Amino acid sequence: MAASLPLLPSREQPIFTSRAHVFQIDPATKKNWVPAGKQALTVSYFYDGTRNSYRIISVDGAKVIINSTVTPNMTFTKTSQKFGQWADSRANTVFGLGFTSEQQLTKFAEKFQEVKEAAKLARDRSQEKTETSSNHSHESSHETPSSPQASSVNGTDDEKATCPPAIETLLKNDSDHSKVAPAQGPTPVKKWEQELQSLGENNARLSTALQESTNNVEHWKKQLLDCKEEGEKLREKILELEAQCTDVNQEKERNTRLSRMVKQLEAEINKKEQELQRLREEAQVIPQLMEQCEAFRERLQAAENTNADLEKKAQLLQTDVEESRQQQGKLRAQLSAFLQILDGKIDELHGFRQGLAKLGLDN
């Protein structure tokens, strides 16, 4: 997957493109995910019409992040609502894709299954053509089938798994032929011995390849278990994150209520500030009012002093009035006595007048 290699030949055409965050399994631990970039990258399916193959390719600038050929034995697994992964035995790694929505993940998984089926169909057709050509070659030249068996060493894991029984059958048939060969002369025996030796070497190579594939299967089973454990951990983390999201939503609601309370308090504070400003303005008048109060206090004190003097004078006047009343009472008594005396004198004068008038009439 070197960046200098021609990654996208002209014969390959993109058939599906999406964007996702790309991850690779940590080669040291085989458990943790390592991000391939800081941002989402373009991930595309490419079809090679010449080779009839499909590849998943992602490039970050001049760096190749994913160059994975889709084979029929690959499986794309959804580990969460927005995350999926697949294992690439040729690259000896596991790729993971994190999408922004569940719909994008579903479309990518459906396209993976479609490409996988197409790759399987292409492989089956290729095997049919290989078998047909090999049968024609066997019938025309009457040669042993060692060449097709040898070519399967570099085939897929399924082909490796099915090769040893065919070799055993061929060896058995060749042994039966070798029992009849001595009657035909030394040349066929030597020929069959060479063919048996060649088949034995092929069988050894195929056994080695089968052992390697078995080891790879065990290795991938172990990686699959590790991936499942990692998936369980990720599910637990997702549950924790969902719980945290619930807490965050509750916290948002609480913050909303607090924001409303803060706004109400700010409104009340504004009212209080306005009232405080009014009180400050009134407080500026207080010194003048204090001066006025002091003046009023002085005037009140003076009035109280004047009132005290007036009360003293009133008391003196009242005393004088009492004395004058007493004197008036005495004068009234004296006047009454004088009037009584005057009335007596008047009566006497009236009687004297009447006597004088009578005397005048008599005279």
Side-chain angles (χ1 to χ4, degrees), residues 10-81:
S10 59
R11 63 175 177 269
E12 286 187 291
Q13 299 295 331
I15 59 175
F16 180 82
T17 301
S18 182
R19 290 187 64 85
H21 291 274
V22 181
F23 298 86
Q24 286 188 8
I25 201 72
D26 189 352
T29 62
K30 298 296 183 180
K31 293 182 179 180
N32 300 325
W33 288 108
V34 178
K38 296 182 179 180
Q39 58 185 359
L41 302 175
T42 300
V43 183
S44 303
Y45 287 93
F46 280 83
Y47 172 66
D48 186 350
T50 304
R51 297 181 179 179
N52 198 16
S53 63
Y54 296 86
R55 286 199 297 170
I56 301 174
I57 296 174
S58 178
V59 181
D60 185 7
K63 182 180 178 181
V64 178
I65 305 300
I66 301 176
N67 184 9
S68 177
T69 301
V70 180
T71 60
N73 56 348
M74 284 185 177
T75 302
F76 186 83
T77 305
K78 295 181 182 179
T79 58
S80 68
Q81 293 181 350

Side-chain angles (χ1 to χ4, degrees), residues 6 14 57 82 99 105 111 136 138 177 179 185 190 195 225 270 307 314 320 328 346 354:
I57 296 174
K82 298 181 181 180
F99 295 88
L105 174 60
K111 180 57 68 173
H136 286 302
H138 177 73
H177 287 295
K179 292 179 181 179
K190 185 177 181 180
E195 291 179 353
L225 292 176
N270 290 331
N307 190 21
D320 293 339
Q328 287 178 1
I346 291 172
Q354 288 179 354

Side-chain angles (χ1 to χ4, degrees), residues 131-143:
E131 290 176 359
T132 303
S133 62
S134 115
N135 290 333
H136 286 302
S137 175
H138 177 73
E139 291 174 359
S140 61
S141 62
H142 297 284
E143 293 179 353

Side-chain angles (χ1 to χ4, degrees), residues 90 92 110 158 165 276:
R90 296 183 180 180
N92 194 22
E110 291 175 353
D158 296 335
L276 181 61

Side-chain angles (χ1 to χ4, degrees), residues 91-346:
N92 194 22
T93 187
V94 180
F95 294 102
L97 298 180
F99 295 88
T100 57
S101 65
E102 185 177 359
Q103 290 78 7
Q104 292 181 354
L105 174 60
T106 302
K107 290 181 180 178
F108 191 90
E110 291 175 353
K111 180 57 68 173
F112 192 97
Q113 185 65 26
E114 179 182 342
V115 169
K116 175 182 173 181
E117 294 294 333
K120 182 178 180 182
L121 182 60
R123 186 194 67 178
D124 294 341
R125 289 178 179 176
S126 177
Q127 286 181 351
E128 289 177 359
K129 291 180 180 179
T130 303
E131 290 176 359
T132 303
S133 62
S134 115
N135 290 333
H136 286 302
S137 175
H138 177 73
E139 291 174 359
S140 61
S141 62
H142 297 284
E143 293 179 353
T144 59
S146 58
S147 177
Q149 294 297 329
S151 65
S152 65
V153 174
N154 297 324
T156 61
D157 295 339
D158 296 335
E159 292 171 345
K160 293 176 183 179
T162 57
C163 283
I167 292 298
E168 293 177 358
T169 304
L170 290 173
L171 289 174
K172 184 177 180 181
N173 294 333
D174 291 340
S175 298
D176 295 337
H177 287 295
S178 65
K179 292 179 181 179
V180 184
Q184 299 176 354
T187 303
V189 172
K190 185 177 181 180
K191 179 181 177 182
W192 286 115
E193 286 178 353
Q194 292 176 354
E195 291 179 353
L196 286 174
Q197 184 178 0
S198 176
L199 289 174
E201 293 175 357
N202 291 334
N203 191 18
R205 288 196 298 269
L206 291 173
S207 298
T208 304
L210 179 61
Q211 183 64 32
E212 291 178 356
S213 64
T214 304
N215 294 334
N216 289 332
V217 169
E218 294 296 330
H219 174 69
W220 286 114
K221 284 183 179 179
K222 184 178 179 181
Q223 285 192 348
L224 180 60
L225 292 176
D226 294 338
C227 291
K228 286 183 178 179
E229 292 178 358
E230 184 67 21
E232 292 296 331
K233 292 181 181 179
L234 289 174
R235 288 190 184 93
E236 293 177 358
K237 289 182 180 179
I238 289 170
L239 293 176
E240 293 177 358
L241 290 175
E242 288 178 350
Q244 291 178 3
C245 289
T246 304
D247 296 337
V248 167
N249 292 331
Q250 294 177 356
E251 191 66 24
K252 286 182 179 179
E253 294 178 357
R254 192 179 298 109
N255 290 335
T256 303
R257 291 196 298 269
L258 291 175
S259 299
R260 293 175 183 173
M261 293 177 64
V262 167
K263 289 181 180 179
Q264 293 176 358
L265 292 174
E266 287 178 351
E268 292 180 359
I269 288 172
N270 290 331
K271 292 181 181 178
K272 296 294 182 183
E273 287 181 351
Q274 293 176 359
E275 186 176 357
L276 181 61
Q277 184 65 26
R278 182 178 60 79
L279 292 175
R280 286 175 180 172
E281 293 176 355
E282 293 179 354
Q284 294 177 357
V285 185
I286 288 176
Q288 299 177 0
L289 295 176
M290 292 294 292
E291 293 177 358
Q292 293 178 2
C293 288
E294 189 65 27
F296 287 144
R297 189 180 292 109
E298 292 176 356
R299 292 172 63 182
L300 181 61
Q301 186 66 33
E304 287 179 352
N305 294 332
T306 304
N307 190 21
D309 294 338
L310 291 174
E311 285 181 355
K312 290 179 181 179
K313 290 180 180 180
Q315 289 178 358
L316 294 174
L317 289 173
Q318 190 173 2
T319 303
D320 293 339
V321 169
E322 291 295 332
E323 290 177 355
S324 62
R325 282 179 182 176
Q326 292 177 2
Q327 290 178 1
Q328 287 178 1
K330 291 178 181 180
L331 289 174
R332 284 193 188 95
Q334 291 177 1
L335 182 60
S336 297
F338 179 75
L339 288 174
Q340 289 178 0
I341 294 171
L342 183 61
D343 289 336
K345 295 296 184 182
I346 291 172

